[in-house]
Amino acid sequence: MSNGPDPDYMAFEGDRCIASGDLGDVARAAKAELDRRQERSVLIFDGTTGGPVEIDFRGSIADVLARLPDPAGAPAAIEDDAAPRGPGRPKLGVVAREVTLLPRHWQWLARQRGGASVTLRRLVDEARRSGEEGGRIRARQEAAYRFMSAIAGDKPHYEDAIRALFAPEPARFEKLIACWPADVREHTLRLAKRAFDREPPTGAG
């Protein structure tokens, strides 16, 4: 499958990728293409979400760039490190609360190494990691699906490829889209590879 870094944005004129990179550069290339061939249409895609980006190409290139959406998004929240901490083990942040279980549950917990508290914390952490990984996979599948549905709905084996994406069946997926136009196929594979990758990101805890 396709390797290399994911582009921030990509512009497609039909099945041909005419530009990739940051949003400003891609918008400039798309505007130049539309000015040369006004009968054509250009679609711009977000390289991460797979979704189309709406851009108003009316007026000059300066007008187009002035209307571009902000790719940075909202600023991240800043944690307040100045808040006072209580005594004990402040970084661990252990909170004591009541847990209601059936007798058989307490009996099982009592047999686990480390006791009930350690076992419950481990089970919660494992459930969190599993849920977060499932959410990442779904987001990646949806990104590939958005791109495919916007540009490849009329391509051979499209519906079968969608099923293979969500199955997941990577080898079958790659075989089904092998006949698609090169630029469409390569970006589809790039997005799908992330969806098929089940390895958690480096540093995940």
Side-chain angles (χ1 to χ4, degrees), residues 5-191:
D6 295 339
D8 294 332
Y9 296 89
M10 301 184 74
F12 278 81
E13 188 270 306
D15 294 330
R16 181 173 63 99
C17 178
I18 61 173
S20 63
D22 66 48
L23 187 56
D25 290 343
V26 170
R28 287 187 184 91
K31 172 65 173 171
E33 181 74 11
L34 291 171
D35 286 347
R36 283 195 301 269
R37 308 170 69 183
Q38 295 183 4
E39 76 282 1
R40 296 291 186 177
S41 63
V42 173
L43 292 175
I44 294 180
F45 294 93
D46 186 309
T48 300
T49 69
V53 180
E54 295 294 332
I55 293 179
D56 186 348
F57 286 106
R58 294 175 299 175
S60 67
I61 185 59
D63 296 329
V64 173
L65 295 177
R67 292 191 295 261
L68 289 181
D70 180 11
I78 299 175
E79 182 179 353
D80 184 6
D81 289 331
R85 298 182 184 273
R89 301 170 64 185
K91 291 187 178 180
L92 184 59
V94 173
V95 178
R97 291 180 180 171
E98 181 180 353
V99 175
T100 303
L101 299 173
L102 295 173
R104 66 175 182 274
H105 299 145
W106 286 116
Q107 291 167 7
W108 181 85
L109 285 170
R111 294 194 298 269
Q112 306 309 305
R113 180 180 299 179
S117 294
V118 171
T119 302
L120 286 172
R121 287 198 292 268
R122 175 174 54 79
L123 291 173
V124 169
D125 286 341
E126 289 174 356
R128 286 182 57 199
R129 282 193 293 269
S130 177
E132 290 167 359
E133 178 62 9
R136 281 192 292 268
I137 292 170
R138 283 191 297 274
R140 294 167 181 175
Q141 288 173 329
E142 289 166 4
Y145 172 74
R146 288 188 199 100
F147 177 74
M148 293 168 67
S149 63
I151 203 169
D154 61 344
K155 300 295 184 285
H157 314 301
Y158 165 77
E159 292 185 358
D160 288 336
I162 293 294
R163 295 188 188 96
L165 171 68
F166 285 97
E169 298 173 338
R172 182 168 180 263
F173 179 87
E174 189 165 1
K175 181 178 179 181
L176 287 166
I177 71 169
C179 61
W180 290 9
D183 290 347
V184 174
R185 181 181 68 247
E186 285 303 306
H187 191 54
T188 301
L189 286 174
R190 184 181 290 111
L191 292 171

